[in-house]
Amino acid sequence: MKKQYFLCYALFMSVIGIASAQISGTVLDEDGGPLPGASVVIKGTTTGSTTDFDGLFSINAEVGDKLVVSYIGYEKKEVVAEAGGMSIQLSSGVALSEVVIIGSRNPNRTATESMVPVDVISMKELNSVAPQVNLNQILNYVAPSFTSNTQTISDGTDHVDPASLRGLGPDQVLVLINGKRRHTSSLINVNGTFGRGSVGTDLNAIPAAAIQRIEVLRDGAAAQYGSDAIAGVINIVLNRSVNELNMSVTTGANFSKNANDQTGGVDGATTNIAASYGVPLGQNGGLLNLSGDFDVRQPYGRMKEWDGDVFNQYNVIERIANGDGYNLTNLLDDDVTDVIQYANQAGINLNGATTKAELQPILSADATEAELSARGQQRNDYNMRVGQSALRGGRIFANFSLPLDDNGTEVYSFAGISSRTGNSAGFYRLPNQSRTFTPAYMNGFLPEINSTIKDRSLSVGIKGKINEWDVDLSNTYGKNSFLYTIGNTFNASMQNASPTIFDAGGFSFAQNTANLDVTRFFEDAMSGLNVAFGAEYRVENYDIVEGEEASYSQYTADGQRITLASQQASQDFFGNGRPGGSQVFPGFSPGNELSRGRSSVAGYVDLEADFSEKFVASFATRFENYSDFGSTINFKLAARYKINDNINLRAAANTGFRAPSLHQINFNSTSTIFDQNGNPQEVGTFANDSRAAKLLGIPELKEETSSSVSVGFTAKIPDANLTLTVDGYYVEINDRVVYTGQFKASPDVDDNGDVVVDVDDNPVYSGAQLELFNLLKQANATAASFFANAINTESRGLDVVLTHTANLSDKWRLKSDLAGTLSKTNQIGDINSSEVLKDAGLVDTYFPEDSRVYLEEAVPRTKLNLSNSLTSDKWVMFLRNVYFGEVTEATTVVANQQDFGSKIVTDLSIGYKATDALTLTLGANNLLDIYPDRAEEQFNNRSSGRFDWSRRAQQFGIGGRFLFARVSFTLK
């Protein structure tokens, strides 16, 4: 009997041992490769595990328990725990809401359970099927809250695309790489584009091949991550793949009805070659991954033809004299005998004029049509390059990780380097303009901006455990430089002595950030408590480098550099002063050159508590002190309530700030900016601590401050394979930094209100206005602009993300994502101007009407994205439709503010997996060749034919249909 009892007891205990034991297994990707770092959690609990480097996991669970398996960029999967080694295979996807890394320092938090909206974008499928190859355009088409477009005729902004989140400024979104702060570009946008006056991050310096996933936090997070995170945070997670070589070659071009200056055909060819390869290091899952790409982008033009004046009667004389072998420079002196001689040969009726003063009004008459015919030219010979700039560049990133023991101690590093050159063109300098020295350029010229943009970064860190605390100590350095070489141009004031290529100088920005982050998750406190705290020390430096003297100087007729207000520049035949400096982009002068630095120190505390299985709340606060403007402290409170397993309510409130960038504080230069009528203005940008700023009552810059709230819910319908997130938000920003309008010195007026003039009929200035006039002349400028905390704004919106997955058969799977954003930004309250500006009636110059439109209406406020991906073991079919809402022309003349209607752009691609290693893809961006509405003549924004589509309000670009082919190799 005892023997039978013992056998029964042993059998019973063995069953218990099987039912409650270590469940182990492997998590694999869809190709059968291991997924290190995948999360395996018992459903409805916080008990979980993560896979090791080989995809292996072990978890305390009972046979029959439901396990939830997830990995960033892959579909979450529920499986039943089984005895023995389990094999779990996940399917990749392009879902916008999966696993959260940013927005919470709790390592167990998933996106649908997070307290703030986070989009997670897997790059694996996008790199295979999407037409776009640079990061800005990839995000522009996949993330509705993100906006970025290639600009045209915008100086340096032609080469670095401004980008925004939730319709806020490019400098109000923080970019991280592997959770570490990324440095911004050295370029500040001062020309006529969205984001004017701001400094963004050059996302295109990061190769798409180096990215595993992108996480977009759509909520203010300055209390967690520091300055700039007003609109949200973009975290780029680098590749960790090993023993796998991925290569792709993508080539394409615009096959469009408006290609080649609206004559049709093919232009704008682009080729991208990308590769990624990683090797394992050590025995504990270490790795080194190298990824990079090289691309060449050709320019394209969308200007049909110039329909304004090109030649005057003096140009006719020049043609006749040039044909006679005469030195055209001699026509400019006061002896007009030669001018009269060639005028008579040309058959020009001089009406008896014998002096230069008498000849000037006669010879200024238009002669365009006859002269075009005489020279065998057409109007489109004077076209500008309105469209895409040329770019050529390469990027490479490394991602390194080396565990030192079995307790989580790890040394890690990542680094990147990129270099690219760009070529864009400005406004055509016509023969009948004083800025064209026709003895050198008989037919005028199209000046070119050649850029050299270099970017480098390095992050090194070590993380591990001290007792039960996770500690991460790191240092991240980054630098961006932007140098200008101006070609096919001229310093007209130098006349024959001018070169045609100029070193115009440039600028650079460097940033070094040291971080200490400490985290611990207390599993037994309530239903879980995560405690995080840390510190940051950051050093920044901004440099402006001068160009060669001729690139910024103006000269007299006898070749003397102008340094005094009494000196007069060389003149054209009509007595107009010739502008100095390299045309299209005057160089930086020694007065512009500077090196400015600052430092900041910060500390934060971040608490996140699961009060119960249903209710979670977090609180974060961050103190930050800047050496140049003082201290700030910000807060964030967020909560989530789980109604049931499938529905969560969430809300957050926070304060934030953005320190004015060193660029905004210190940038100063003179540049040629064209007004809404296409007329050139030499505008000097002066620093806020300059004498010019004080004369006009422009205050020094201070930080922007913000407060925001968001409310939303997440829902899952498992039986229908549906996931839905809806989030509304409100953001108020005070003392927002903008780029002002153009201030000019005001001449004296008499009692009748008429301008007082001297004996030479020049306006007379006195007092502060005389000082301002002289400052402008010294800067070779006619007007002055500044950066200023001019306004307060509010932004409100609604973000919706709906994801559906359907298994159509054993072989075919359809995944659909519908995502949309509706947003609106408005100026609130009065313009923050000084009494000096109010008394002078200059408030509307301080924040002009076109700046309001750039802020509120120049980018789509509504954007919807429907993506469908149909996959099998051999085929991938990708269809995407993006709805871009209407935009408004940014101009100071309200009557000229044309509205451009909403459009839908369709992308389609088909990929075929010929072998396990080879995939062929054909596709199109903008398949139906859709363009924005044309600029209508009645609104007077075409600038005499230069712009048939707006250059100030861009929805999705003006390239038209882009067809591409891609060959992808994967070797394992």
Side-chain angles (χ1 to χ4, degrees):
M1 184 73 182
K2 289 182 178 180
K3 186 176 181 180
Q4 290 176 337
Y5 176 80
F6 176 78
L7 290 172
C8 290
Y9 176 78
L11 180 63
F12 175 76
M13 291 305 294
S14 66
V15 171
I16 293 295
I18 293 173
S20 179
Q22 287 285 325
I23 302 296
S24 61
T26 307
V27 179
L28 307 171
D29 64 19
E30 57 192 358
D31 297 321
L35 284 176
S39 173
V40 183
V41 180
I42 300 175
K43 186 175 182 180
T45 74
T46 58
T47 301
S49 176
T50 56
T51 58
D52 63 15
F53 183 76
D54 297 316
L56 300 173
F57 72 91
S58 180
I59 186 173
N60 284 316
E62 297 182 0
V63 173
D65 280 349
K66 284 190 175 181
L67 304 180
V68 179
V69 185
S70 61
Y71 186 73
I72 296 169
Y74 286 76
E75 291 297 317
K76 185 185 297 182
K77 190 172 187 177
E78 290 189 10
V79 297
V80 177
E82 301 173 355
M86 300 178 65
S87 180
I88 305 168
Q89 194 167 33
L90 301 184
S91 299
S92 67
V94 196
L96 286 177
S97 294
E98 293 177 355
V99 180
V100 62
I101 298 298
I102 53 173
S104 170
R105 289 186 166 90
N106 186 334
N108 305 308
R109 196 67 65 202
T110 60
T112 52
E113 296 175 344
S114 70
M115 292 165 280
V116 288
V118 179
D119 301 332
V120 179
I121 303 166
S122 169
M123 293 297 291
K124 184 174 182 179
E125 186 172 342
L126 287 174
N127 283 337
S128 173
V129 301
Q132 297 79 21
V133 293
N134 73 63
L135 191 51
N136 267 320
Q137 287 306 300
I138 288 172
L139 286 173
N140 191 41
Y141 277 86
V142 76
S145 59
F146 182 92
T147 297
S148 178
N149 283 302
T150 300
Q151 305 298 319
T152 184
I153 317 296
S154 304
D155 291 349
T157 311
D158 284 10
H159 308 256
V160 179
D161 301 337
S164 72
L165 196 63
R166 283 185 161 178
L168 297 178
D171 49 9
Q172 290 162 338
V173 56
L174 175 64
V175 176
L176 311 175
I177 294 185
N178 284 353
K180 308 300 180 183
R181 178 182 282 264
R182 174 77 171 173
H183 60 279
T184 63
S185 168
S186 57
L187 174 73
I188 187 165
N189 302 307
V190 295
N191 221 298
T193 67
F194 167 77
R196 184 170 67 177
S198 66
V199 180
T201 301
D202 186 4
L203 293 176
N204 288 343
I206 306 167
I211 303 172
Q212 177 182 329
R213 66 183 183 273
I214 302 170
E215 304 162 352
V216 182
L217 167 62
R218 294 178 277 112
D219 196 63
Q224 295 168 291
Y225 301 104
S227 176
D228 304 346
I230 290 178
V233 181
I234 297 173
N235 184 36
I236 296 168
V237 181
L238 299 178
N239 263 343
R240 296 179 59 87
S241 61
V242 296
N243 293 326
E244 180 176 297
L245 173 64
N246 292 293
M247 293 185 63
S248 67
V249 179
T250 304
T251 185
N254 297 301
F255 291 74
S256 175
K257 60 193 174 190
N258 292 313
N260 299 306
D261 289 336
Q262 302 185 41
T263 62
V266 182
D267 64 4
T270 299
T271 299
N272 177 276
I273 302 171
S276 177
Y277 180 67
V279 294
L281 300 175
Q283 303 299 317
N284 297 309
L287 64 94
L288 173 63
N289 181 279
L290 294 176
S291 303
D293 69 0
F294 172 80
D295 59 10
V296 178
R297 184 181 83 180
Q298 299 298 326
Y300 65 70
R302 295 292 179 269
M303 178 180 172
K304 187 174 183 179
E305 67 176 22
W306 168 248
D307 56 28
D309 295 344
V310 179
F311 300 106
N312 55 31
Q313 295 286 10
Y314 179 77
N315 298 135
V316 176
I317 292 173
E318 287 184 311
R319 174 177 56 82
I320 300 296
N322 186 65
D324 196 33
Y326 191 69
N327 184 351
L328 300 187
T329 307
N330 294 335
L331 296 173
L332 296 169
D333 59 29
D334 290 333
D335 182 357
V336 295
T337 304
D338 48 1
V339 175
I340 294 172
Q341 172 190 336
Y342 288 115
N344 291 331
Q345 288 185 29
I348 298 174
N349 183 3
L350 298 180
N351 292 324
T354 58
T355 66
K356 180 180 280 191
E358 293 172 341
L359 289 169
Q360 285 171 346
I362 298 171
L363 297 184
S364 64
D366 179 50
T368 299
E369 296 302 330
E371 193 63 10
L372 283 172
S373 176
R375 299 191 187 201
Q377 296 175 344
Q378 299 178 334
R379 284 189 167 273
N380 60 16
D381 290 326
Y382 294 87
N383 281 4
M384 296 157 42
R385 193 191 304 163
V386 180
Q388 175 177 276
S389 62
L391 286 177
R392 180 186 185 92
R395 295 151 286 271
I396 186 167
F397 263 69
N399 195 20
F400 167 81
S401 171
L402 183 63
L404 301 180
D405 55 32
D406 295 328
N407 298 319
T409 305
E410 177 184 323
V411 176
Y412 63 89
S413 178
F414 56 89
I417 185 169
S418 73
S419 178
R420 69 181 185 268
T421 57
N423 174 272
S424 63
F427 280 69
Y428 200 103
R429 270 51 178 179
L430 298 166
N432 63 356
Q433 296 175 330
S434 64
R435 60 187 52 240
T436 303
F437 187 69
T438 43
Y441 290 102
M442 272 281 295
N443 295 312
F445 61 98
L446 184 65
E448 297 180 343
I449 297 176
N450 298 287
S451 65
T452 301
I453 307 168
K454 294 185 177 180
D455 198 287
R456 59 199 68 92
S457 60
L458 172 65
S459 183
V460 178
I462 184 170
K463 58 185 178 182
K465 281 187 177 292
I466 299 178
N467 294 326
E468 297 298 319
W469 294 88
D470 294 310
V471 180
D472 186 345
L473 178 65
S474 66
N475 188 83
T476 303
Y477 171 81
K479 183 176 182 179
N480 179 274
S481 63
F482 197 123
L483 299 177
Y484 292 90
T485 301
I486 312 304
N488 195 45
T489 187
F490 216 71
N491 183 329
S493 69
M494 294 180 73
Q495 303 183 104
N496 280 324
S498 175
T500 58
I501 298 176
F502 298 81
D503 172 7
F507 30 71
S508 67
F509 175 73
Q511 175 181 284
N512 190 85
T513 307
N515 290 98
L516 174 65
D517 300 291
V518 183
T519 306
R520 183 175 177 181
F521 182 71
F522 295 88
E523 190 172 346
D524 298 329
M526 295 175 282
S527 293
L529 172 66
N530 197 78
V531 177
F533 61 90
E536 177 180 286
Y537 179 69
R538 188 165 72 251
V539 178
E540 299 174 338
N541 198 82
Y542 176 67
D543 293 333
I544 296 178
V545 180
E546 70 171 289
E548 62 179 281
E549 180 184 291
S551 72
Y552 56 80
S553 296
Q554 190 177 29
Y555 295 85
T556 64
D558 58 1
Q560 297 297 312
R561 178 170 173 257
I562 293 178
T563 57
L564 301 173
S566 58
Q567 292 178 284
Q568 188 176 60
S570 61
Q571 298 179 342
D572 68 358
F573 180 82
F574 300 96
N576 300 310
R578 295 194 186 272
S582 49
Q583 290 195 58
V584 78
F585 189 92
F588 294 98
S589 71
N592 301 135
E593 187 172 48
L594 53 78
S595 180
R596 297 286 186 270
R598 71 178 177 193
S599 62
S600 68
V601 61
Y604 72 87
V605 176
D606 193 342
L607 306 175
E608 186 171 316
D610 291 67
F611 290 95
S612 67
E613 290 189 4
K614 288 184 174 293
F615 181 67
V616 181
S618 71
F619 171 78
T621 183
R622 184 182 181 102
F623 169 83
E624 198 144 358
N625 176 270
Y626 278 77
S627 61
D628 56 351
F629 77 82
S631 301
T632 179
I633 186 167
N634 292 281
F635 305 91
K636 181 167 185 175
L637 182 64
R640 187 216 72 212
Y641 182 74
K642 183 188 288 285
I643 295 178
N644 54 43
D645 286 344
N646 297 317
I647 301 177
N648 295 312
L649 300 179
R650 61 190 182 192
N654 68 82
T655 62
F657 82 106
R658 190 192 69 81
S661 70
L662 284 176
H663 319 50
Q664 292 171 325
I665 296 171
N666 296 292
F667 180 78
N668 64 110
S669 76
T670 299
S671 56
T672 305
I673 295 178
F674 287 76
D675 61 23
Q676 62 265 18
N677 297 319
N679 298 317
Q681 305 289 333
E682 303 299 332
V683 177
T685 300
F686 292 83
N688 288 74
D689 59 357
S690 66
R691 179 61 182 163
K694 289 180 171 55
L695 290 171
L696 289 167
I698 308 291
E700 293 189 18
L701 285 175
K702 58 184 178 180
E703 75 274 18
E704 299 174 346
T705 60
S706 70
S707 56
S708 66
V709 294
S710 64
V711 179
F713 72 89
T714 69
K716 295 182 290 185
I717 307 175
D719 292 341
N721 292 322
L722 278 173
T723 301
L724 172 67
T725 69
V726 178
D727 294 277
Y729 63 89
Y730 175 86
V731 182
E732 183 174 311
I733 304 175
N734 294 320
D735 299 315
R736 192 160 175 175
V737 178
V738 301
Y739 189 60
T740 70
Q742 299 164 15
F743 294 91
K744 297 185 177 182
S746 300
D748 295 345
V749 294
D750 57 23
D751 294 338
N752 297 321
D754 296 325
V755 174
V756 178
V757 296
D758 60 17
V759 293
D760 294 321
D761 207 32
N762 296 314
V764 173
Y765 301 86
S766 61
Q769 295 302 314
L770 175 60
E771 187 176 358
L772 177 61
F773 174 79
N774 289 333
L775 286 170
L776 290 173
K777 190 165 184 178
Q778 289 171 18
N780 197 17
T782 58
S785 289
F786 308 85
F787 296 96
N789 299 98
I791 55 168
N792 305 327
T793 66
E794 64 176 10
S795 300
R796 63 190 72 196
L798 183 71
D799 295 332
V800 180
V801 179
L802 177 65
T803 301
H804 176 257
T805 304
N807 294 315
L808 305 181
S809 68
D810 293 339
K811 294 183 177 181
W812 290 94
R813 176 173 171 267
L814 176 64
K815 187 167 186 304
S816 302
D817 295 301
L818 175 62
T821 185
L822 294 86
S823 64
K824 186 173 180 62
T825 296
N826 292 105
Q827 176 200 342
I828 56 174
D830 294 331
I831 297 172
N832 304 327
S833 63
S834 66
E835 291 301 320
V836 175
L837 289 169
K838 291 177 182 177
D839 293 343
L842 296 174
V843 174
D844 289 339
T845 304
Y846 191 56
F847 183 67
E849 174 65 14
D850 62 337
S851 291
R852 182 199 66 78
V853 179
Y854 281 127
L855 188 77
E856 298 180 0
E857 303 173 49
V859 296
R861 287 147 287 173
T862 302
K863 193 174 169 187
L864 303 173
N865 179 322
L866 176 60
S867 299
N868 307 98
S869 181
L870 180 64
T871 59
S872 71
D873 56 347
K874 287 288 187 182
W875 294 92
V876 178
M877 301 179 187
F878 180 72
L879 175 66
R880 177 169 59 202
N881 287 280
V882 182
Y883 172 92
F884 294 90
E886 70 173 24
V887 295
T888 301
E889 180 74 33
T891 174
T892 55
V893 182
V894 176
N896 293 353
Q897 291 176 1
Q898 179 182 352
D899 292 328
F900 304 100
S902 57
K903 303 291 179 182
I904 296 177
V905 175
T906 302
D907 294 350
L908 175 66
S909 68
I910 299 175
Y912 175 68
K913 193 169 184 179
T915 69
D916 289 341
L918 177 64
T919 301
L920 306 174
T921 305
L922 295 175
N925 166 232
N926 196 353
L927 177 67
L928 304 180
D929 204 18
I930 301 298
Y931 278 78
D933 292 342
R934 285 180 177 263
E936 297 178 10
E937 193 67 50
Q938 68 193 69
F939 291 99
N940 196 31
N941 296 315
R942 293 184 64 249
S943 186
S944 298
R946 292 184 176 108
F947 303 110
D948 284 317
W949 294 275
S950 173
R951 74 177 179 114
R952 302 186 187 96
Q954 298 232 358
Q955 291 164 294
F956 50 87
I958 54 173
R961 181 192 297 112
F962 180 83
L963 302 181
F964 77 97
R966 178 177 296 133
V967 179
S968 303
F969 303 90
T970 301
L971 301 178
K972 297 183 179 181

